[in-house]
Amino acid sequence: MKIDIISVVPDLLQSPFAHSILKRAKDKGLLEVNVINLRDHTTYARAQVDDYAFGGGAGMVMMIEPLVNAIESLQATTTYDEVIYLTPDGETFNQKMANGFSLKNNLLMICGHYKGIDQRFRDHFVTREISIGDYVLSGGEIAAAVLVDAIGRLIPGVLNDETSALTDSFQDNLLAPPVYTRPEEFRGWKVPDILLSGNHKLIEEWRVEQSLQRTKERRPDILD
Ligand code: 6GU
């Protein structure tokens, strides 16, 4: 999969994909992430990419022309399955969306700044508008990094048995159960006996029960 990201602060996106599972995905050739500097595509003086809003009001708006220059130069060589605009007024991102995107070949993400981007770009080029939650970030970059991480680890072949996505929270609409590792006892705090029993059927039942209980307590909204 290739993910291209258009940004006015490309430096923000240098480190997040260079570690751990996403690094492995890149090293295996399963994921390629390219960050495109929007300022390389403006024809305005001093690499200007934003201007005052028509109608007045505080805050700048990202101009359509640099965005169209950028996307059209990318589209000359890549056909995108989705053009995703990261914006707090988008659809809230969730695991189901991550699963869907992980099966695509080419994604383009547009990071907004200031008061957002000219509506005409949204109308004519964007296919999905996504938010990562009900709070406001200073730009779309960190949201894009969240999507790349959540999507990248689900690309077929990226995870192995040890890191399997099948037992993740949300994968079956339940939160994940508690987990423990060595030592069996620390400061008198013991690992639940059942996990040491070697009885895989009982352990699985315990985990499902714990998942259900945790979901009821913390996220009753996601229970069917
Ligand atoms: Cl995608 N962008 C910004 N700027 N703020 C956000 C967001 C996105 N999602 C939640 N807050």
Side-chain angles (χ1 to χ4, degrees), residues 90-139:
E91 194 183 348
T92 307
F93 188 59
N94 61 32
Q95 191 65 30
K96 193 166 164 223
M97 290 156 82
N99 287 339
F101 288 136
S102 73
L103 303 173
K104 306 288 186 186
N105 291 317
N106 298 304
L107 299 175
L108 177 62
M109 299 186 184
I110 319 275
C111 303
H113 264 261
Y114 322 111
K115 282 286 158 194
I117 66 179
D118 190 298
Q119 181 61 38
R120 290 167 292 185
F121 186 83
R122 297 169 71 161
D123 294 342
H124 297 286
F125 291 90
V126 170
T127 61
R128 298 289 293 269
E129 300 195 327
I130 294 178
S131 159
I132 61 163
D134 292 344
Y135 40 81
V136 176
L137 304 170
S138 49

Short mmCIF file of all heavy atoms in Angstrom, two decimals, residues 90-139:
data_model
loop_
_atom_site.label_atom_id
_atom_site.label_comp_id
_atom_site.label_asym_id
_atom_site.label_seq_id
_atom_site.Cartn_x
_atom_site.Cartn_y
_atom_site.Cartn_z
N GLY A 90 -15.27 15.98 10.24
CA GLY A 90 -15.47 14.75 9.47
C GLY A 90 -16.14 13.65 10.28
O GLY A 90 -16.48 13.83 11.45
N GLU A 91 -16.29 12.50 9.62
CA GLU A 91 -16.84 11.29 10.24
C GLU A 91 -15.81 10.77 11.25
O GLU A 91 -14.61 10.76 10.97
CB GLU A 91 -16.99 10.28 9.09
CG GLU A 91 -17.81 9.07 9.32
CD GLU A 91 -17.76 8.17 8.07
OE1 GLU A 91 -17.29 8.59 7.00
OE2 GLU A 91 -18.18 7.02 8.20
N THR A 92 -16.25 10.34 12.43
CA THR A 92 -15.29 9.90 13.45
C THR A 92 -14.66 8.56 13.07
O THR A 92 -15.35 7.59 12.79
CB THR A 92 -15.97 9.79 14.83
OG1 THR A 92 -16.62 11.01 15.10
CG2 THR A 92 -14.94 9.51 15.91
N PHE A 93 -13.32 8.55 13.07
CA PHE A 93 -12.56 7.35 12.70
C PHE A 93 -12.79 6.22 13.69
O PHE A 93 -12.90 6.44 14.89
CB PHE A 93 -11.08 7.72 12.69
CG PHE A 93 -10.16 6.67 12.14
CD1 PHE A 93 -10.32 6.20 10.84
CD2 PHE A 93 -9.13 6.15 12.90
CE1 PHE A 93 -9.46 5.24 10.31
CE2 PHE A 93 -8.26 5.20 12.40
CZ PHE A 93 -8.44 4.74 11.09
N ASN A 94 -12.89 4.99 13.17
CA ASN A 94 -13.01 3.82 14.06
C ASN A 94 -12.33 2.61 13.44
O ASN A 94 -11.80 2.67 12.34
CB ASN A 94 -14.49 3.54 14.37
CG ASN A 94 -15.29 3.22 13.12
OD1 ASN A 94 -14.78 2.65 12.16
ND2 ASN A 94 -16.56 3.59 13.12
N GLN A 95 -12.32 1.50 14.18
CA GLN A 95 -11.59 0.30 13.76
C GLN A 95 -12.15 -0.28 12.46
O GLN A 95 -11.40 -0.78 11.63
CB GLN A 95 -11.64 -0.75 14.86
CG GLN A 95 -10.70 -1.93 14.64
CD GLN A 95 -9.23 -1.53 14.67
OE1 GLN A 95 -8.85 -0.58 15.36
NE2 GLN A 95 -8.41 -2.23 13.92
N LYS A 96 -13.46 -0.16 12.28
CA LYS A 96 -14.07 -0.70 11.06
C LYS A 96 -13.54 0.05 9.83
O LYS A 96 -13.23 -0.54 8.80
CB LYS A 96 -15.59 -0.56 11.17
CG LYS A 96 -16.34 -1.34 10.15
CD LYS A 96 -17.82 -1.43 10.50
CE LYS A 96 -18.59 -1.86 9.27
NZ LYS A 96 -19.84 -1.12 9.10
N MET A 97 -13.42 1.38 9.97
CA MET A 97 -12.88 2.17 8.86
C MET A 97 -11.42 1.78 8.62
O MET A 97 -10.97 1.67 7.47
CB MET A 97 -13.01 3.66 9.17
CG MET A 97 -14.46 4.14 9.14
SD MET A 97 -14.73 5.63 10.14
CE MET A 97 -14.18 6.87 9.02
N ALA A 98 -10.66 1.58 9.70
CA ALA A 98 -9.26 1.17 9.55
C ALA A 98 -9.17 -0.15 8.79
O ALA A 98 -8.35 -0.31 7.88
CB ALA A 98 -8.59 1.04 10.93
N ASN A 99 -10.03 -1.10 9.14
CA ASN A 99 -10.04 -2.40 8.44
C ASN A 99 -10.29 -2.19 6.95
O ASN A 99 -9.60 -2.78 6.11
CB ASN A 99 -11.15 -3.30 9.00
CG ASN A 99 -10.83 -3.85 10.38
OD1 ASN A 99 -9.66 -3.89 10.78
ND2 ASN A 99 -11.85 -4.23 11.12
N GLY A 100 -11.27 -1.36 6.62
CA GLY A 100 -11.61 -1.12 5.21
C GLY A 100 -10.45 -0.48 4.45
O GLY A 100 -10.06 -0.95 3.37
N PHE A 101 -9.87 0.56 5.02
CA PHE A 101 -8.76 1.25 4.35
C PHE A 101 -7.54 0.35 4.18
O PHE A 101 -6.76 0.51 3.25
CB PHE A 101 -8.36 2.51 5.13
CG PHE A 101 -9.35 3.64 5.04
CD1 PHE A 101 -9.70 4.36 6.18
CD2 PHE A 101 -9.94 3.99 3.83
CE1 PHE A 101 -10.61 5.41 6.11
CE2 PHE A 101 -10.85 5.04 3.75
CZ PHE A 101 -11.19 5.75 4.89
N SER A 102 -7.35 -0.61 5.11
CA SER A 102 -6.14 -1.45 5.06
C SER A 102 -6.13 -2.35 3.83
O SER A 102 -5.10 -2.91 3.49
CB SER A 102 -6.02 -2.30 6.33
OG SER A 102 -6.97 -3.35 6.32
N LEU A 103 -7.27 -2.49 3.16
CA LEU A 103 -7.34 -3.34 1.97
C LEU A 103 -7.18 -2.55 0.67
O LEU A 103 -7.25 -3.11 -0.42
CB LEU A 103 -8.68 -4.10 1.96
CG LEU A 103 -8.92 -4.95 3.22
CD1 LEU A 103 -10.32 -5.54 3.23
CD2 LEU A 103 -7.86 -6.05 3.33
N LYS A 104 -6.95 -1.23 0.77
CA LYS A 104 -6.80 -0.39 -0.43
C LYS A 104 -5.35 -0.38 -0.90
O LYS A 104 -4.43 -0.77 -0.17
CB LYS A 104 -7.23 1.05 -0.11
CG LYS A 104 -8.62 1.19 0.48
CD LYS A 104 -9.68 0.93 -0.55
CE LYS A 104 -11.06 1.23 0.03
NZ LYS A 104 -12.13 0.84 -0.91
N ASN A 105 -5.14 0.09 -2.12
CA ASN A 105 -3.78 0.16 -2.67
C ASN A 105 -3.13 1.52 -2.46
O ASN A 105 -1.97 1.61 -2.08
CB ASN A 105 -3.79 -0.14 -4.17
CG ASN A 105 -4.13 -1.59 -4.43
OD1 ASN A 105 -3.61 -2.47 -3.75
ND2 ASN A 105 -5.00 -1.84 -5.39
N ASN A 106 -3.89 2.58 -2.76
CA ASN A 106 -3.32 3.93 -2.70
C ASN A 106 -4.26 4.88 -1.98
O ASN A 106 -5.42 5.01 -2.35
CB ASN A 106 -3.08 4.46 -4.12
CG ASN A 106 -2.08 3.63 -4.89
OD1 ASN A 106 -0.94 3.42 -4.44
ND2 ASN A 106 -2.50 3.12 -6.03
N LEU A 107 -3.74 5.53 -0.95
CA LEU A 107 -4.53 6.52 -0.22
C LEU A 107 -3.81 7.86 -0.27
O LEU A 107 -2.58 7.92 -0.20
CB LEU A 107 -4.70 6.10 1.24
CG LEU A 107 -5.41 4.77 1.52
CD1 LEU A 107 -5.37 4.45 3.02
CD2 LEU A 107 -6.86 4.81 1.03
N LEU A 108 -4.60 8.92 -0.37
CA LEU A 108 -4.03 10.27 -0.26
C LEU A 108 -4.69 10.95 0.94
O LEU A 108 -5.91 10.92 1.07
CB LEU A 108 -4.31 11.07 -1.55
CG LEU A 108 -3.82 12.53 -1.52
CD1 LEU A 108 -2.31 12.62 -1.35
CD2 LEU A 108 -4.24 13.25 -2.81
N MET A 109 -3.87 11.52 1.80
CA MET A 109 -4.40 12.24 2.96
C MET A 109 -4.02 13.72 2.84
O MET A 109 -2.89 14.03 2.49
CB MET A 109 -3.84 11.66 4.26
CG MET A 109 -4.22 10.20 4.45
SD MET A 109 -3.72 9.58 6.06
CE MET A 109 -4.18 7.85 5.87
N ILE A 110 -4.98 14.59 3.15
CA ILE A 110 -4.75 16.02 3.10
C ILE A 110 -4.87 16.56 4.52
O ILE A 110 -5.90 16.38 5.17
CB ILE A 110 -5.83 16.74 2.24
CG1 ILE A 110 -6.16 15.96 0.96
CG2 ILE A 110 -5.46 18.19 1.98
CD1 ILE A 110 -5.30 16.19 -0.20
N CYS A 111 -3.81 17.20 4.99
CA CYS A 111 -3.83 17.76 6.34
C CYS A 111 -4.22 19.23 6.28
O CYS A 111 -3.55 20.02 5.62
CB CYS A 111 -2.45 17.65 6.97
SG CYS A 111 -1.86 15.95 7.02
N GLY A 112 -5.26 19.58 6.99
CA GLY A 112 -5.70 20.97 7.03
C GLY A 112 -4.99 21.75 8.13
O GLY A 112 -4.44 21.17 9.06
N HIS A 113 -4.96 23.05 7.99
CA HIS A 113 -4.42 23.94 9.02
C HIS A 113 -5.29 25.17 9.07
O HIS A 113 -6.15 25.35 8.24
CB HIS A 113 -2.98 24.34 8.69
CG HIS A 113 -2.01 23.47 9.42
ND1 HIS A 113 -1.40 23.83 10.57
CD2 HIS A 113 -1.63 22.19 9.15
CE1 HIS A 113 -0.64 22.83 10.98
NE2 HIS A 113 -0.76 21.83 10.14
N TYR A 114 -5.02 26.05 10.03
CA TYR A 114 -5.74 27.30 10.14
C TYR A 114 -7.24 27.01 10.26
O TYR A 114 -7.63 26.11 11.00
CB TYR A 114 -5.42 28.22 8.95
CG TYR A 114 -3.98 28.15 8.54
CD1 TYR A 114 -3.59 27.58 7.33
CD2 TYR A 114 -2.98 28.60 9.40
CE1 TYR A 114 -2.25 27.49 6.97
CE2 TYR A 114 -1.65 28.50 9.06
CZ TYR A 114 -1.29 27.95 7.84
OH TYR A 114 0.02 27.84 7.51
N LYS A 115 -8.08 27.71 9.51
CA LYS A 115 -9.53 27.48 9.60
C LYS A 115 -9.98 26.38 8.64
O LYS A 115 -11.17 26.17 8.45
CB LYS A 115 -10.28 28.78 9.29
CG LYS A 115 -10.31 29.75 10.46
CD LYS A 115 -11.28 29.29 11.55
CE LYS A 115 -10.90 29.91 12.88
NZ LYS A 115 -11.59 29.26 14.00
N GLY A 116 -9.03 25.69 8.02
CA GLY A 116 -9.42 24.63 7.09
C GLY A 116 -9.10 24.97 5.66
O GLY A 116 -8.39 25.94 5.38
N ILE A 117 -9.63 24.17 4.73
CA ILE A 117 -9.31 24.36 3.32
C ILE A 117 -10.54 24.87 2.58
O ILE A 117 -11.68 24.67 3.01
CB ILE A 117 -8.80 23.06 2.67
CG1 ILE A 117 -9.87 21.97 2.60
CG2 ILE A 117 -7.59 22.52 3.46
CD1 ILE A 117 -9.40 20.68 1.93
N ASP A 118 -10.30 25.54 1.46
CA ASP A 118 -11.38 26.08 0.62
C ASP A 118 -12.39 24.98 0.32
O ASP A 118 -12.01 23.88 -0.13
CB ASP A 118 -10.76 26.64 -0.68
CG ASP A 118 -11.76 27.44 -1.50
OD1 ASP A 118 -12.79 26.86 -1.94
OD2 ASP A 118 -11.52 28.64 -1.71
N GLN A 119 -13.67 25.27 0.56
CA GLN A 119 -14.73 24.26 0.40
C GLN A 119 -14.74 23.65 -1.00
O GLN A 119 -15.11 22.49 -1.19
CB GLN A 119 -16.09 24.89 0.72
CG GLN A 119 -17.28 23.93 0.61
CD GLN A 119 -17.19 22.75 1.57
OE1 GLN A 119 -16.75 22.89 2.71
NE2 GLN A 119 -17.58 21.56 1.12
N ARG A 120 -14.33 24.43 -2.01
CA ARG A 120 -14.38 23.90 -3.39
C ARG A 120 -13.45 22.72 -3.57
O ARG A 120 -13.73 21.81 -4.35
CB ARG A 120 -14.06 25.01 -4.39
CG ARG A 120 -15.18 26.05 -4.48
CD ARG A 120 -14.73 27.28 -5.20
NE ARG A 120 -13.70 28.02 -4.44
CZ ARG A 120 -13.21 29.19 -4.81
NH1 ARG A 120 -13.60 29.76 -5.94
NH2 ARG A 120 -12.30 29.80 -4.07
N PHE A 121 -12.34 22.69 -2.83
CA PHE A 121 -11.45 21.52 -2.93
C PHE A 121 -12.15 20.30 -2.31
O PHE A 121 -12.09 19.18 -2.86
CB PHE A 121 -10.11 21.78 -2.24
CG PHE A 121 -9.13 20.66 -2.45
CD1 PHE A 121 -8.36 20.58 -3.60
CD2 PHE A 121 -9.00 19.65 -1.49
CE1 PHE A 121 -7.48 19.53 -3.80
CE2 PHE A 121 -8.12 18.60 -1.69
CZ PHE A 121 -7.35 18.53 -2.84
N ARG A 122 -12.84 20.53 -1.21
CA ARG A 122 -13.57 19.42 -0.58
C ARG A 122 -14.64 18.89 -1.53
O ARG A 122 -14.83 17.68 -1.67
CB ARG A 122 -14.19 19.89 0.74
CG ARG A 122 -13.14 20.32 1.76
CD ARG A 122 -13.71 21.03 2.97
NE ARG A 122 -14.46 20.14 3.88
CZ ARG A 122 -14.71 20.44 5.15
NH1 ARG A 122 -14.29 21.59 5.67
NH2 ARG A 122 -15.39 19.60 5.91
N ASP A 123 -15.34 19.81 -2.18
CA ASP A 123 -16.44 19.42 -3.07
C ASP A 123 -15.96 18.61 -4.28
O ASP A 123 -16.65 17.70 -4.73
CB ASP A 123 -17.17 20.66 -3.59
CG ASP A 123 -17.90 21.42 -2.49
OD1 ASP A 123 -18.12 20.83 -1.41
OD2 ASP A 123 -18.22 22.61 -2.71
N HIS A 124 -14.79 18.96 -4.80
CA HIS A 124 -14.39 18.40 -6.10
C HIS A 124 -13.29 17.36 -6.07
O HIS A 124 -13.08 16.67 -7.06
CB HIS A 124 -14.02 19.54 -7.06
CG HIS A 124 -15.19 20.44 -7.34
ND1 HIS A 124 -16.24 20.06 -8.16
CD2 HIS A 124 -15.51 21.67 -6.87
CE1 HIS A 124 -17.14 21.05 -8.19
NE2 HIS A 124 -16.72 22.03 -7.41
N PHE A 125 -12.57 17.24 -4.94
CA PHE A 125 -11.45 16.29 -4.92
C PHE A 125 -11.50 15.29 -3.77
O PHE A 125 -10.97 14.19 -3.88
CB PHE A 125 -10.11 17.03 -4.86
CG PHE A 125 -9.78 17.77 -6.14
CD1 PHE A 125 -10.18 19.09 -6.32
CD2 PHE A 125 -9.09 17.13 -7.16
CE1 PHE A 125 -9.89 19.77 -7.50
CE2 PHE A 125 -8.78 17.79 -8.34
CZ PHE A 125 -9.19 19.11 -8.51
N VAL A 126 -12.11 15.69 -2.65
CA VAL A 126 -12.07 14.84 -1.46
C VAL A 126 -13.16 13.77 -1.54
O VAL A 126 -14.30 14.06 -1.91
CB VAL A 126 -12.23 15.71 -0.19
CG1 VAL A 126 -12.45 14.86 1.06
CG2 VAL A 126 -11.02 16.62 -0.02
N THR A 127 -12.81 12.51 -1.19
CA THR A 127 -13.82 11.44 -1.19
C THR A 127 -14.24 11.04 0.23
O THR A 127 -15.31 10.48 0.42
CB THR A 127 -13.31 10.19 -1.94
OG1 THR A 127 -12.14 9.68 -1.27
CG2 THR A 127 -12.96 10.51 -3.38
N ARG A 128 -13.39 11.29 1.23
CA ARG A 128 -13.75 10.97 2.61
C ARG A 128 -13.26 12.08 3.52
O ARG A 128 -12.15 12.58 3.35
CB ARG A 128 -13.08 9.65 3.08
CG ARG A 128 -13.50 8.43 2.31
CD ARG A 128 -14.92 8.00 2.59
NE ARG A 128 -15.13 7.50 3.95
CZ ARG A 128 -15.02 6.23 4.29
NH1 ARG A 128 -14.66 5.32 3.42
NH2 ARG A 128 -15.25 5.85 5.53
N GLU A 129 -14.07 12.48 4.50
CA GLU A 129 -13.66 13.48 5.49
C GLU A 129 -13.68 12.81 6.85
O GLU A 129 -14.71 12.28 7.28
CB GLU A 129 -14.60 14.67 5.45
CG GLU A 129 -14.59 15.31 4.06
CD GLU A 129 -15.20 16.70 4.02
OE1 GLU A 129 -16.15 16.96 4.79
OE2 GLU A 129 -14.73 17.51 3.21
N ILE A 130 -12.52 12.81 7.52
CA ILE A 130 -12.39 12.02 8.74
C ILE A 130 -11.81 12.86 9.89
O ILE A 130 -10.88 13.63 9.70
CB ILE A 130 -11.51 10.77 8.47
CG1 ILE A 130 -12.25 9.85 7.49
CG2 ILE A 130 -11.18 10.04 9.76
CD1 ILE A 130 -11.49 8.62 7.10
N SER A 131 -12.41 12.65 11.06
CA SER A 131 -11.97 13.25 12.32
C SER A 131 -11.48 12.12 13.21
O SER A 131 -11.91 10.98 13.06
CB SER A 131 -13.15 13.95 12.98
OG SER A 131 -12.93 14.14 14.36
N ILE A 132 -10.57 12.41 14.15
CA ILE A 132 -10.18 11.34 15.08
C ILE A 132 -10.81 11.52 16.45
O ILE A 132 -10.48 10.79 17.38
CB ILE A 132 -8.64 11.17 15.18
CG1 ILE A 132 -7.97 12.43 15.72
CG2 ILE A 132 -8.06 10.76 13.84
CD1 ILE A 132 -6.55 12.16 16.22
N GLY A 133 -11.74 12.46 16.60
CA GLY A 133 -12.42 12.58 17.89
C GLY A 133 -12.92 13.99 18.11
O GLY A 133 -12.59 14.91 17.36
N ASP A 134 -13.69 14.15 19.17
CA ASP A 134 -14.35 15.43 19.41
C ASP A 134 -13.49 16.38 20.22
O ASP A 134 -13.76 16.63 21.40
CB ASP A 134 -15.70 15.20 20.10
CG ASP A 134 -16.68 14.50 19.18
OD1 ASP A 134 -16.43 14.49 17.95
OD2 ASP A 134 -17.69 13.97 19.66
N TYR A 135 -12.44 16.86 19.59
CA TYR A 135 -11.56 17.87 20.17
C TYR A 135 -10.83 18.46 18.98
O TYR A 135 -10.84 17.87 17.90
CB TYR A 135 -10.57 17.24 21.16
CG TYR A 135 -10.03 15.92 20.67
CD1 TYR A 135 -9.00 15.88 19.73
CD2 TYR A 135 -10.61 14.72 21.06
CE1 TYR A 135 -8.53 14.68 19.24
CE2 TYR A 135 -10.16 13.51 20.56
CZ TYR A 135 -9.12 13.50 19.66
OH TYR A 135 -8.68 12.30 19.16
N VAL A 136 -10.21 19.62 19.15
CA VAL A 136 -9.58 20.27 18.00
C VAL A 136 -8.06 20.24 18.12
O VAL A 136 -7.49 20.63 19.13
CB VAL A 136 -10.08 21.73 17.87
CG1 VAL A 136 -9.35 22.44 16.73
CG2 VAL A 136 -11.58 21.73 17.60
N LEU A 137 -7.42 19.73 17.07
CA LEU A 137 -5.96 19.73 16.96
C LEU A 137 -5.56 20.95 16.14
O LEU A 137 -6.36 21.50 15.39
CB LEU A 137 -5.49 18.47 16.24
CG LEU A 137 -5.92 17.14 16.85
CD1 LEU A 137 -5.59 15.99 15.91
CD2 LEU A 137 -5.24 16.94 18.20
N SER A 138 -4.28 21.33 16.24
CA SER A 138 -3.85 22.52 15.51
C SER A 138 -3.63 22.23 14.03
O SER A 138 -3.46 23.15 13.23
CB SER A 138 -2.60 23.11 16.14
OG SER A 138 -1.65 22.11 16.35
N GLY A 139 -3.65 20.97 13.64
CA GLY A 139 -3.53 20.63 12.23
C GLY A 139 -3.86 19.17 12.03
O GLY A 139 -4.01 18.42 13.00
#
